[in-house]
Amino acid sequence: MTEEQSASPRRRTTPLQEQICDRLRRLIRDGRMPAGSRAPSLRALATELGVSRGTVVAAYDRLIGEGYLAARGTAGTFVAEPGATGATGATGAAGSPTRRPRIATLPPLDRPRVPAEHAAVSHRLRTSPAGGHASGALPLQLGLPALDAFPRKVWARLSAHHARHSISLMKPDPAGLPRLREALVAYLHRSRGVEATARQVFVVAGYEAGLSLTIQALGLGGDAAVIEDPGYPPVAMVLARWGMTDCPVRVDADGLVTDHLKEAPDNARLAVVTPSHHSPLCMSLSLERRLALLQWANERQAWIVEDDYDGEYRYAGPPLPALKSLDRDDRVLYAGTLSKVLYPGLRLAYLVVPASLVDRFEQVLQPWPSAGCPSLLQEVAADFMERGHFARHIKRMRTLYGVRRSWLEAALAPYAAFGLRHQPQRGGLHLTIGLPDGADDRDCASRAREAGLAVLALSSWCRGRTGLTGLLASFTNIGSPDAAHEYVARLAAAVRPVGAFGPLPMRGSR
Amino acid sequence: MTEEQSASPRRRTTPLQEQICDRLRRLIRDGRMPAGSRAPSLRALATELGVSRGTVVAAYDRLIGEGYLAARGTAGTFVAEPGATGATGATGAAGSPTRRPRIATLPPLDRPRVPAEHAAVSHRLRTSPAGGHASGALPLQLGLPALDAFPRKVWARLSAHHARHSISLMKPDPAGLPRLREALVAYLHRSRGVEATARQVFVVAGYEAGLSLTIQALGLGGDAAVIEDPGYPPVAMVLARWGMTDCPVRVDADGLVTDHLKEAPDNARLAVVTPSHHSPLCMSLSLERRLALLQWANERQAWIVEDDYDGEYRYAGPPLPALKSLDRDDRVLYAGTLSKVLYPGLRLAYLVVPASLVDRFEQVLQPWPSAGCPSLLQEVAADFMERGHFARHIKRMRTLYGVRRSWLEAALAPYAAFGLRHQPQRGGLHLTIGLPDGADDRDCASRAREAGLAVLALSSWCRGRTGLTGLLASFTNIGSPDAAHEYVARLAAAVRPVGAFGPLPMRGSR
């Protein structure tokens, strides 16, 4: 990133790590941090800037890689002597005017359709300390289960056991480990009402990988797909990557407005939906709409991908059965993930496809040498499920999330009068928080992120003119009522300058 | 697969597992294996058919999934009672005439350009026993390191340690774990003459994943790419998947015939090559051609992907430095993999990109939630490299492969007069074996596979009219000189009916 860019109005959405790198590069180039001088300690800089230590670590790693800084073990990090490392030379050469022009000959990048802030937050997420642990989660960060409540000991015991006794050196079955597929069948039958055989289950390296596989196996490239508006931004990216156009259909309190399906173009052969909990608004698709959606798919001979990313987590009443359980015409492909129930670092998700499509999926997977997730992790996940840890963990998490959700709700309550009001919703792992009238949610989210809160702007998840605004904030990693109050107070302070409301409630007023 | 299809002439390339399933399904439907009767034991059937136990396991698993068979624990596997399981009903329903027509509405599958036999062998590979171990390799199977010589104990110890102490729950950095990237930089510098910073290294889930990432990051969709003819078949599949056309350029004893590069169309902006050991012919690209290729890329502003899949394994003289080490104009992307040096089940490969492209690759990866390989495996691989196990292992394997290669050469020697002659080549993990005049290598490979040998036909790797024929056979997992003789004797017997040569040499004639 050049300095011109970093000084542009888009600066607010520049990842923090980039901003730190820019600032230090400038100080070093200007001679304000001379060669050989010691760089601030990680802790000191993190505190000074109000960012996580991981962000500073990542920035320093980068500057070391670029040759600006040099690590000297326990002595600390120092500004590199010019020419002292090969790295400096290499980067210097690449950045010199004689080499730069080559970049200019590249075609412009396809801009990802994901909002910059989404990328910024996921980038920060990924540059968190290598150890991860619960501390790896940023306050209010979406897409994570409770990292502090994960049964690490059991998981580590099973992992160590398999590492010692059953690491398979061979390439894994591209469709997934039979044991894991069987375990998923049993689980889905019991808890989601999904009937399938193990052959219908395909283990994939994440939800987007499953969606990509689906598009290829069904030969949908060039066709159109119905998506929810608002909806999970990476879906549109995956569709675009495979040459599909998307038709956003709006949602209301009952989920996808299926009346609008008839407006979808003739080549709409796919609908990607989140019936259990809409992403990000968390309502469920009503039974009537479920049936209408299924009927549409059957009439059109279209397919439905049911993204059941967190269907287990419903706090009023038992979880709804999956849409797939109503699917009499075999039009639904059910997509689940272990990221939200276990942990995102596992990189394991799965698809359940209609029996009629199994051959097709196998044909598409077979010749691909790269298909298949590492066996070790699949073995451990299968063990974890077979031994009942999975079901117990979900049960415990449902209780825990109910509690943590109530902490965030309670913390928000005093701010309701000031416009920070969460929307009622029956499930999911985050809250949607309304903003004072006239507040721009992207500005608010950006300010909140500067204050260290990993919230997202609802409008960034919208495609059409839905007029929806608000902030998305996860409660899964809120460790205490105090933490909830602290986060909400920071959020209110960050949002305040753009709102019209009066003095903030004091910490004691709850 | 229907019975009509399985009876077609293509039957010889039907995967063994499918053939077993077909045969059993028929026996069960015809009542020759009545409900409740016991299916043959795995071992007995594997011996009877001359296939690996894993293939039978996979076939049984499939039939169990389809409801034809039922597993009764240690009692064995039995023919299922009609309607006894939900699975039978489900599959039956999906296969019934009222449901079948839906399949007919699907567009025809894009036929993968990989030869069917390639898929067949990789399928058999993947359906090997879950435990894997050395026994998971089929005789002469390509693409595998010596599974029996992998330092399992060290690997298991490191894996168990990380499982207990450092499993990161967070999503991994999409570009790879910094520690692993650093370890790769040090290794590549030392052993392949590649100079890079850690930021230039991107860890990916396999070679094809890296090639896909490259095409996207460089915006090459719709352009053309030079490939080697013959060449590794999945490359053309990946190019086609991203809308690229390929221009096959033939190779001779000095590698890619760079004179033909000028015939590449104007939109050829990529060349995918294997300079260290051509895949599958194992010669090295001469220095003159290396320079010509680099010059072509520089003049055209095209990029070169150097696939260095087994550059470490050269038996005459030290390994050649990578093409990347000659790359003064930063046109080369170096692709390596841990599959051949460690094990394919690890699913870790890497790309080293020019410094000028780092930002682009980071931009493409950042917004993808699915990007990133599991941290645990990256941690273990980094440890293994940092502690010197990696370098020691490669050194040991170079010696071992030299020995195993000589076993296969010695076993082939008596058959030279009958047309089974291996081509001289200086490196790699397999031999190319010539065939008697007039023999069709695909027929020979197919017969050999029926005899349980996982050889591939060279002509399946050819695109144009190269006229090259032969069999590709790996020596990495040949456990003894006797095993080599046994494989070659089986190979000769399998090839014999199509050749014109006389009585086979006796086992004692070596």
Side-chain angles (χ1 to χ4, degrees):
Chain A
M1 172 162 297
T2 64
E3 293 188 19
E4 290 71 42
Q5 276 174 307
S6 71
S8 79
R10 266 190 294 182
R11 176 156 186 191
R12 267 199 303 254
T13 58
T14 306
L16 291 175
Q17 185 199 327
E18 267 305 336
Q19 294 181 36
I20 297 170
C21 286
D22 269 0
R23 186 193 287 206
L24 289 177
R25 276 192 211 104
R26 223 174 295 183
L27 291 172
I28 293 169
R29 281 197 216 120
D30 296 351
R32 278 177 287 166
M33 277 174 66
S37 69
R38 191 187 182 121
S41 82
L42 299 172
R43 190 181 307 270
L45 191 58
T47 309
E48 188 197 327
L49 302 176
V51 300
S52 81
R53 203 167 156 271
T55 305
V56 180
V57 169
Y60 274 27
D61 278 351
R62 194 150 173 172
L63 292 171
I64 289 168
E66 293 174 4
Y68 285 96
L69 296 180
R72 298 204 198 137
T74 51
T77 307
F78 293 80
V79 177
E81 307 287 345
T85 65
T88 317
T91 312
S96 73
T98 57
R99 304 226 165 184
R100 271 287 178 221
R102 270 194 202 101
I103 287 290
T105 70
L106 288 170
L109 267 184
D110 286 345
R111 279 277 127 222
R113 295 214 218 161
V114 150
E117 61 159 3
H118 186 90
V121 168
S122 50
H123 187 66
R124 284 179 65 197
L125 152 58
R126 283 151 175 168
T127 51
S128 63
H133 308 283
S135 63
L138 298 175
L140 308 180
Q141 182 178 331
L142 257 70
L144 292 177
L147 300 180
D148 58 341
F150 182 70
R152 279 185 167 270
K153 271 196 188 161
V154 173
W155 189 264
R157 181 161 46 73
L158 297 177
S159 303
H161 173 82
H162 282 286
R164 290 195 195 284
H165 302 293
S166 66
I167 286 185
S168 168
L169 301 183
M170 299 291 282
K171 238 180 229 178
D173 187 316
L177 198 74
R179 277 185 64 210
L180 178 57
R181 298 163 82 188
E182 288 290 357
L184 287 165
V185 163
Y187 159 72
L188 291 172
H189 178 62
R190 223 169 31 238
S191 86
R192 312 294 296 121
V194 173
E195 299 266 8
T197 65
R199 262 191 85 203
Q200 289 173 255
V201 178
F202 291 82
V203 177
V204 289
Y207 170 59
E208 294 89 38
L211 191 52
S212 291
L213 172 61
T214 299
I215 294 169
Q216 289 165 81
L218 300 178
L220 299 177
D223 288 333
V226 166
I227 59 171
E228 297 166 328
D229 188 7
Y232 182 55
V235 169
M237 286 179 66
V238 175
L239 297 175
R241 179 181 270 206
W242 295 106
M244 296 191 76
T245 53
D246 55 52
C247 345
V249 168
R250 74 180 180 83
V251 300
D252 65 16
D254 287 326
L256 190 81
V257 182
T258 44
D259 282 350
H260 293 325
L261 284 174
K262 54 178 174 287
E263 295 154 24
D266 285 345
N267 68 339
R269 305 192 51 236
L270 183 71
V272 184
V273 291
T274 52
S276 294
H277 295 135
H278 176 263
S279 171
L281 297 175
C282 295
M283 72 295 230
S284 305
L285 190 63
S286 70
L287 180 60
E288 193 189 342
R289 302 249 180 110
R290 285 175 184 237
L291 297 173
L293 177 60
L294 291 170
Q295 196 187 339
W296 172 82
N298 199 33
E299 283 169 8
R300 290 277 191 119
Q301 297 289 291
W303 305 98
I304 299 168
V305 169
E306 172 177 23
D307 176 12
D308 199 28
Y309 63 108
D310 66 354
E312 275 300 333
Y313 297 118
R314 190 176 153 95
Y315 310 101
L320 287 185
L323 174 67
K324 176 72 190 159
S325 69
L326 292 174
D327 175 30
R328 300 283 161 257
D329 300 296
D330 273 0
R331 307 310 300 175
V332 178
L333 294 88
Y334 176 94
T337 178
L338 300 183
S339 285
K340 304 285 194 297
V341 177
L342 297 177
Y343 62 96
L346 186 56
R347 309 310 309 124
L348 287 178
Y350 52 93
L351 277 178
V352 182
V353 311
S356 58
L357 294 179
V358 167
D359 285 345
R360 222 156 229 281
F361 274 73
E362 287 180 352
Q363 279 173 48
V364 167
L365 278 177
Q366 264 188 31
W368 282 104
S370 266
C373 299
S375 313
L376 176 68
L377 306 176
Q378 296 191 64
E379 292 275 8
V380 176
D383 256 20
F384 194 85
M385 297 185 86
E386 281 170 10
R387 291 168 191 224
H389 298 300
F390 190 76
R392 278 194 293 278
H393 180 57
I394 289 177
K395 204 171 153 196
R396 265 204 310 270
M397 289 308 98
R398 210 179 284 142
T399 310
L400 179 70
Y401 293 152
V403 170
R404 290 186 170 180
R405 180 186 153 104
S406 71
W407 291 344
L408 185 55
E409 288 174 340
L412 281 164
Y415 295 90
F418 303 92
L420 286 186
R421 212 174 273 116
H422 74 273
Q423 318 294 312
Q425 57 198 44
R426 281 171 295 186
L429 301 178
H430 68 272
L431 293 183
T432 307
I433 302 171
L435 288 168
D437 287 345
D440 177 311
D441 63 350
R442 297 190 200 208
D443 280 350
C444 290
S446 170
R447 273 171 215 269
R449 281 199 302 281
E450 280 170 11
L453 302 171
V455 296
L456 296 175
L458 173 55
S459 66
S460 310
W461 293 45
C462 299
R463 298 292 302 282
R465 299 206 166 272
T466 60
L468 288 171
T469 63
L471 297 177
L472 308 176
S474 167
F475 45 79
T476 53
N477 281 287
I478 299 181
S480 66
D482 280 351
H485 279 277
E486 196 257 315
Y487 297 154
V488 172
R490 265 156 78 186
L491 186 64
V495 165
R496 195 181 176 224
V498 296
F501 49 94
L504 290 172
M506 298 304 293
R507 175 74 178 76
S509 69
R510 57 165 157 152
Chain B
M1 173 162 298
T2 66
E3 295 186 19
E4 291 70 45
Q5 277 175 304
S6 70
S8 81
R10 265 189 297 184
R11 177 156 184 190
R12 267 200 302 256
T13 57
T14 306
L16 291 175
Q17 185 198 325
E18 266 306 337
Q19 294 182 35
I20 297 170
C21 287
D22 269 358
R23 187 193 285 206
L24 290 177
R25 276 192 210 104
R26 225 175 293 183
L27 291 171
I28 293 169
R29 281 196 215 121
D30 296 351
R32 279 178 286 166
M33 278 175 66
S37 70
R38 191 190 179 116
S41 82
L42 297 174
R43 190 181 306 270
L45 192 58
T47 308
E48 189 198 326
L49 301 177
V51 300
S52 83
R53 203 165 157 273
T55 304
V56 182
V57 169
Y60 275 26
D61 278 353
R62 194 148 172 176
L63 292 170
I64 290 168
E66 293 174 9
Y68 284 97
L69 297 179
R72 296 204 200 136
T74 51
T77 308
F78 294 79
V79 178
E81 309 285 347
T85 65
T88 316
T91 311
S96 73
T98 56
R99 301 228 168 182
R100 270 288 177 220
R102 264 189 208 105
I103 286 289
T105 69
L106 287 171
L109 266 185
D110 285 343
R111 278 278 128 220
R113 295 212 218 162
V114 151
E117 59 159 4
H118 185 91
V121 169
S122 51
H123 187 64
R124 285 178 65 196
L125 153 60
R126 282 151 176 166
T127 52
S128 63
H133 307 284
S135 65
L138 298 175
L140 309 180
Q141 183 177 333
L142 258 70
L144 292 176
L147 300 179
D148 58 340
F150 182 70
R152 277 185 169 272
K153 271 195 188 162
V154 174
W155 189 264
R157 181 163 45 76
L158 297 177
S159 303
H161 172 82
H162 281 287
R164 289 195 195 285
H165 302 293
S166 64
I167 287 184
S168 167
L169 301 182
M170 299 291 280
K171 239 181 229 178
D173 187 315
L177 198 75
R179 272 186 66 209
L180 178 58
R181 298 164 83 188
E182 289 288 358
L184 286 166
V185 162
Y187 159 71
L188 291 173
H189 178 62
R190 222 167 32 234
S191 87
R192 312 294 297 121
V194 173
E195 300 265 7
T197 65
R199 262 191 86 202
Q200 289 174 255
V201 179
F202 291 82
V203 178
V204 290
Y207 170 60
E208 294 89 40
L211 192 51
S212 292
L213 172 61
T214 298
I215 295 169
Q216 290 165 81
L218 300 179
L220 299 178
D223 287 334
V226 166
I227 60 170
E228 296 166 328
D229 187 8
Y232 183 57
V235 169
M237 289 178 65
V238 175
L239 297 175
R241 179 179 269 202
W242 295 107
M244 295 191 77
T245 54
D246 55 52
C247 345
V249 168
R250 73 179 181 83
V251 299
D252 65 16
D254 287 327
L256 189 80
V257 182
T258 43
D259 281 350
H260 293 327
L261 284 172
K262 52 178 175 287
E263 294 154 25
D266 285 347
N267 68 339
R269 303 192 52 238
L270 183 71
V272 184
V273 290
T274 52
S276 294
H277 296 134
H278 175 263
S279 171
L281 298 178
C282 295
M283 73 295 230
S284 305
L285 190 63
S286 68
L287 180 60
E288 194 189 340
R289 301 249 180 109
R290 286 176 184 235
L291 297 173
L293 177 61
L294 291 169
Q295 196 187 337
W296 172 82
N298 199 33
E299 282 168 11
R300 289 275 193 118
Q301 298 287 294
W303 305 98
I304 299 168
V305 169
E306 172 178 23
D307 175 12
D308 199 29
Y309 63 107
D310 64 354
E312 274 300 333
Y313 296 118
R314 188 176 156 91
Y315 309 101
L320 288 183
L323 175 67
K324 177 73 189 160
S325 69
L326 292 175
D327 176 29
R328 300 283 162 258
D329 300 296
D330 273 0
R331 309 308 300 174
V332 177
L333 294 87
Y334 176 95
T337 176
L338 300 182
S339 285
K340 303 284 191 301
V341 178
L342 298 176
Y343 62 96
L346 185 58
R347 311 307 312 123
L348 287 179
Y350 52 93
L351 277 178
V352 183
V353 312
S356 58
L357 295 178
V358 167
D359 285 346
R360 224 157 226 279
F361 274 74
E362 288 180 353
Q363 279 174 47
V364 167
L365 280 177
Q366 262 188 32
W368 283 104
S370 266
C373 299
S375 314
L376 176 67
L377 306 178
Q378 295 192 64
E379 293 274 8
V380 177
D383 256 19
F384 194 84
M385 298 185 85
E386 282 170 8
R387 290 168 193 223
H389 299 299
F390 190 76
R392 276 194 293 278
H393 180 57
I394 288 178
K395 205 172 152 197
R396 265 203 311 271
M397 288 307 97
R398 209 180 286 144
T399 309
L400 180 70
Y401 293 151
V403 169
R404 292 187 168 179
R405 179 186 155 104
S406 71
W407 292 343
L408 186 55
E409 287 174 339
L412 281 165
Y415 295 90
F418 303 91
L420 285 186
R421 212 175 274 116
H422 74 274
Q423 318 295 312
Q425 57 197 44
R426 281 173 295 187
L429 301 177
H430 68 273
L431 293 184
T432 307
I433 302 172
L435 288 169
D437 286 345
D440 178 310
D441 64 348
R442 297 191 201 207
D443 280 351
C444 291
S446 170
R447 275 171 214 269
R449 281 198 302 279
E450 279 170 14
L453 303 171
V455 297
L456 297 174
L458 174 56
S459 67
S460 310
W461 292 46
C462 298
R463 297 293 302 283
R465 298 205 166 271
T466 60
L468 289 172
T469 64
L471 298 178
L472 308 176
S474 166
F475 46 78
T476 52
N477 282 287
I478 298 181
S480 67
D482 280 352
H485 278 278
E486 197 258 314
Y487 297 153
V488 172
R490 265 157 79 188
L491 185 64
V495 164
R496 200 183 171 221
V498 296
F501 50 95
L504 291 171
M506 301 303 294
R507 177 73 179 75
S509 70
R510 59 165 155 149

